[in-house]
């Protein structure tokens, strides 16, 4: 009997460590999030109410995975080797993947690294002026970044884990 218990404890510790590393990866990326000012923006601002976010690739966007999977969350972050780089996370067939593009734009296929398997559900929410939003960017597009990102991760045998990462 002791052997079965030791095996379960070992598996639980492995799963917990894997989850911890995945959460650290997400935290590290979001702590480095940036919304760079578009190059060539005149000193007086952009015409006709345009914003830097609307004149270039959005610094943060929540969409659906092109492969028909679950949510895909992309954003710009500082990268020691590449300056500003687009990264993201997507849920496909119960697997949470870490996505990395070579530059600012989501051009071509990103490099993909699996972070977690057996994920029942994933939900990203955004906090802006004490209001939770289910989509980003908001319709008015005046704020390139929210005040915080809220991650809700539903895992078997654990339940829903909620994590809020402050961006400001």
């Amino acid at each position: 009997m002791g052997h079965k218990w030791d095996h379960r404890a070992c598996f639980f510790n492995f799963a917990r460590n894997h989850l911890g590393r995945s959460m650290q990866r997400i935290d590290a990326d979001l702590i480095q999030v940036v919304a760079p000012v578009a190059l060539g923006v005149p000193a007086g601002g952009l015409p006709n109410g345009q914003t830097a976010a609307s004149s270039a690739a959005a610094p943060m966007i929540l969409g659906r995975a092109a492969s028909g999977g679950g949510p895909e969350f992309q954003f710009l972050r500082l990268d020691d080797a590449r300056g500003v780089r687009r990264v993201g996370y997507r849920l496909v067939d119960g697997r949470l993947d870490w996505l990395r593009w070579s530059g600012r734009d989501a051009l071509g296929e990103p490099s993909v690294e699996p972070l977690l398997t057996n994920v029942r559900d994933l939900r990203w929410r955004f906090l802006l002026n004490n209001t939770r939003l289910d989509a980003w960017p908001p319709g008015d597009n005046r704020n390139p970044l929210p005040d915080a990102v809220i991650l809700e991760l539903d895992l078997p045998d654990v339940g829903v884990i909620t994590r809020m990462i402050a961006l400001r």
Side-chain angles (χ1 to χ4, degrees):
M1 279 193 170
H3 181 68
K4 283 186 179 180
W5 174 254
D6 292 342
H7 178 67
R8 286 186 206 157
C10 182
F11 177 77
F12 178 74
N13 284 333
F14 173 78
R16 185 178 64 203
N17 290 338
H18 201 71
L19 175 60
R21 282 193 306 272
S22 298
M23 296 307 278
Q24 285 175 340
R25 170 78 274 145
I26 294 168
D27 284 355
D29 278 347
L30 284 168
I31 287 170
Q32 296 294 322
V33 72
V34 293
V37 176
L39 297 175
V41 174
L46 293 167
N48 301 327
Q50 284 184 326
T51 64
S54 66
S55 66
M60 183 176 282
I61 188 164
L62 176 64
R64 302 298 290 176
S67 60
E72 182 170 307
F73 177 44
Q74 299 177 14
F75 52 94
L76 297 176
R77 66 154 286 177
L78 289 176
D79 184 287
D80 291 339
R82 299 178 189 240
V84 176
R85 174 185 205 180
R86 185 164 297 273
V87 298
Y89 297 87
R90 75 173 158 216
L91 182 65
V92 177
D93 297 327
R95 186 186 69 235
L96 177 60
D97 290 334
W98 179 35
L99 313 172
R100 291 170 291 167
W101 286 267
S102 60
R104 291 179 181 215
D105 298 317
L107 300 175
E109 289 298 315
S111 64
V112 178
E113 185 176 324
L115 286 182
L116 282 175
T117 57
N118 206 18
V119 177
R120 282 194 295 221
D121 197 17
L122 170 73
R123 186 174 192 164
W124 298 96
R125 291 185 175 181
F126 308 91
L127 189 65
L128 181 63
N129 300 325
N130 289 327
T131 302
R132 285 187 184 215
L133 305 171
D134 290 327
W136 196 268
D140 64 16
N141 212 18
R142 287 183 290 181
N143 297 296
L145 297 174
D147 299 326
V149 173
I150 303 164
L151 166 63
E152 296 173 357
L153 192 60
D154 188 359
L155 303 171
D157 300 326
V158 176
V160 177
I161 297 171
T162 302
R163 181 95 166 188
M164 183 182 298
I165 301 100
L167 303 183
R168 302 174 196 235

